[in-house]
Amino acid sequence: MSDAPIRFYFSLRSPYVWLAVEEIVREGIPVEPIPVVSFAAGTVFSDPVANPPRLAYLIEDVARIAARHDLTLIPPMDTEDWEAVHNAVEFAKQQGRGMAFTQIAARMRWTQSLDLACPDVIGAVAEAAGVDSGGAVAAMDDLSIRARMIEAYTPCIEADQVFGVPFFVFDADGQTHRYWGQDRIAMMLEDARAMGA
């Protein structure tokens, strides 16, 4: 594969993102982590928390997949402030520790049921990831970080037509290749290698 990373769109809200991050790190896949600040225009978001049968299936499905990778799911209470959480991720990314921060945050959320909207939790994530914890916590309320993310990532999200997470994109052979879901990682890697991406 080339040095150009695969674009990895995510929200730490999703347990499938947690599973994807674990595989990305385990396999050493070069990705550019991009927190989803919005979905592509025209996307209708179906909130699984608002759909009890879908939520029950999601928990059952994620637990099943996690067990196959020797991971244990402990479903968290859902936080409401994903903008603040992803601001902290962006802060870590700017310090070159975006994936380390994302992996630790995902683990704390999905294996310890911790609330990522809590500054103390974000501080602990930052410390474990080798990121300035005070800076990460301050980033949570920094509106300028959010504004920069929206300016930088919205055009990418629109161009790549991101409609869900985890979402992977790479460019090869003059085309954009898109894959949705943690269960598509092996296929995506196979395709990227075959195309020399």
Side-chain angles (χ1 to χ4, degrees), residues 9 36-45 153-164 167 178:
Y9 294 98
V36 172
V37 295
S38 64
F39 288 117
T43 300
V44 177
F45 177 69
Y153 298 150
T154 300
C156 301
I157 289 166
E158 289 293 335
D160 288 338
Q161 291 294 286
V162 177
F163 59 83
F167 203 87
R178 306 175 312 141

Side-chain angles (χ1 to χ4, degrees), residues 24-185:
I24 289 165
V25 172
R26 185 175 60 247
E27 299 297 326
I29 301 167
V31 298
E32 178 190 358
I34 302 174
V36 172
V37 295
S38 64
F39 288 117
T43 300
V44 177
F45 177 69
S46 176
D47 186 352
V49 174
N51 182 333
R54 182 177 173 195
L55 179 60
Y57 170 79
L58 183 147
I59 297 300
E60 177 185 340
D61 187 48
V62 171
R64 181 173 41 227
I65 296 168
R68 282 178 168 74
H69 295 284
D70 294 321
L71 300 167
T72 301
L73 172 69
I74 301 175
M77 298 299 293
D78 205 29
T79 185
E80 296 294 324
D81 197 357
W82 291 107
E83 291 181 8
V85 173
H86 291 143
N87 278 6
V89 171
E90 184 68 10
F91 177 81
K93 182 179 173 182
Q94 296 307 317
Q95 294 193 354
R97 303 292 298 157
M99 279 306 295
F101 187 97
T102 301
Q103 181 185 28
I104 293 164
R107 280 183 178 172
M108 286 188 171
R109 174 166 165 74
W110 293 105
T111 68
Q112 298 176 41
S113 194
L114 296 179
D115 183 359
L116 296 180
C118 174
D120 289 341
V121 173
I122 288 297
V125 170
E127 189 171 314
V131 174
D132 171 47
S133 60
V137 170
M140 294 176 76
D141 295 323
D142 189 335
L143 298 179
S144 68
I145 292 176
R146 182 68 180 175
R148 287 193 305 272
M149 288 169 57
I150 290 170
E151 183 178 352
Y153 298 150
T154 300
C156 301
I157 289 166
E158 289 293 335
D160 288 338
Q161 291 294 286
V162 177
F163 59 83
V165 294
F167 203 87
F168 303 90
V169 181
F170 68 87
D171 299 314
D173 298 334
Q175 295 182 354
T176 297
H177 303 272
R178 306 175 312 141
Y179 300 79
W180 176 43
Q182 101 292 338
D183 56 338
R184 300 296 194 270
I185 292 175

